[in-house]
Amino acid sequence: MSVVDFMLRATADSDSDVALEACEFWVTFASLDEDACDPETMEALVALFPKLQPQLLRGMVYPRDKIEELMEANAMDEADGKDRAQDVAPVFHKSKTKGGGDDSDSDDDDMDDDNEWTLRKCSAASLDALSGMFGANNILPPLLPALQEGLGHTD
């Protein structure tokens, strides 16, 4: 079994901490210089895309408790009445800088939840990074069927 096979299995682990650690492998791998990877490893990874991409998509789905929390927040927002301009205005997030983070000193719990590194965020970052490394021709063919299947679910 190769390292990428092992990490694929760990990405699907039922323990969310194990899955998150394994998912971080894909982000790290995709950030490597292409010259650092031998062609055999690159080909092995491309061959795993039909198994890896659906797993990363499953990792991007909100957990059941978070869905319920978002539904409750949405219901409360809807009960407040009409949307004001500031309620629907776009939000522009600042990226964190290495070693320091952002400039806000807010102790707001909601902000802490938004900034928490989760399996969902890591899965999305992994797929994004792999897309940048391998391009659309390698990513889209195995991704589209998995994406269509996921979008077809009623949950």
Side-chain angles (χ1 to χ4, degrees):
M1 178 189 317
S2 71
V3 171
V4 292
D5 290 324
F6 174 77
M7 296 312 291
L8 175 65
R9 288 188 180 151
T11 303
D13 199 281
S14 59
D15 182 337
S16 62
D17 291 332
V18 172
L20 176 59
E21 291 292 328
C23 192
E24 288 177 350
F25 168 82
W26 305 113
V27 176
T28 304
F29 182 88
S31 68
L32 293 174
D33 185 9
E34 290 182 36
D35 297 333
C37 301
D38 62 72
E40 291 175 8
T41 302
M42 300 295 275
E43 289 174 18
L45 188 56
V46 170
L48 284 178
F49 281 173
K51 295 177 185 174
L52 174 61
Q53 291 175 348
Q55 186 58 42
L56 293 175
L57 286 174
R58 281 189 290 278
M60 285 192 268
V61 175
Y62 279 107
R64 174 76 55 207
D65 60 331
K66 184 68 174 177
I67 292 172
E68 291 171 6
E69 180 184 321
L70 291 170
M71 295 298 282
E72 288 174 15
N74 186 50
M76 289 184 349
D77 286 346
E78 292 295 321
D80 288 343
K82 288 191 171 195
D83 288 331
R84 300 170 302 183
Q86 64 263 30
D87 292 338
V88 294
V91 176
F92 299 100
H93 298 281
K94 295 179 183 177
S95 64
K96 289 188 172 189
T97 57
K98 190 172 185 175
D102 57 18
D103 294 332
S104 70
D105 291 328
S106 174
D107 290 311
D108 190 49
D109 288 337
D110 292 337
M111 292 300 288
D112 290 342
D113 289 343
D114 290 343
N115 293 328
E116 181 182 349
W117 186 242
T118 63
L119 178 60
R120 187 181 66 78
K121 291 177 183 179
C122 187
S123 295
S126 296
L127 189 56
D128 181 50
L130 290 168
S131 298
M133 182 178 211
F134 289 95
N137 291 337
N138 288 314
I139 295 292
L140 289 178
L143 180 65
L144 291 177
L147 189 57
Q148 287 175 329
E149 179 184 333
L151 291 173
H153 283 257
T154 57
D155 290 345

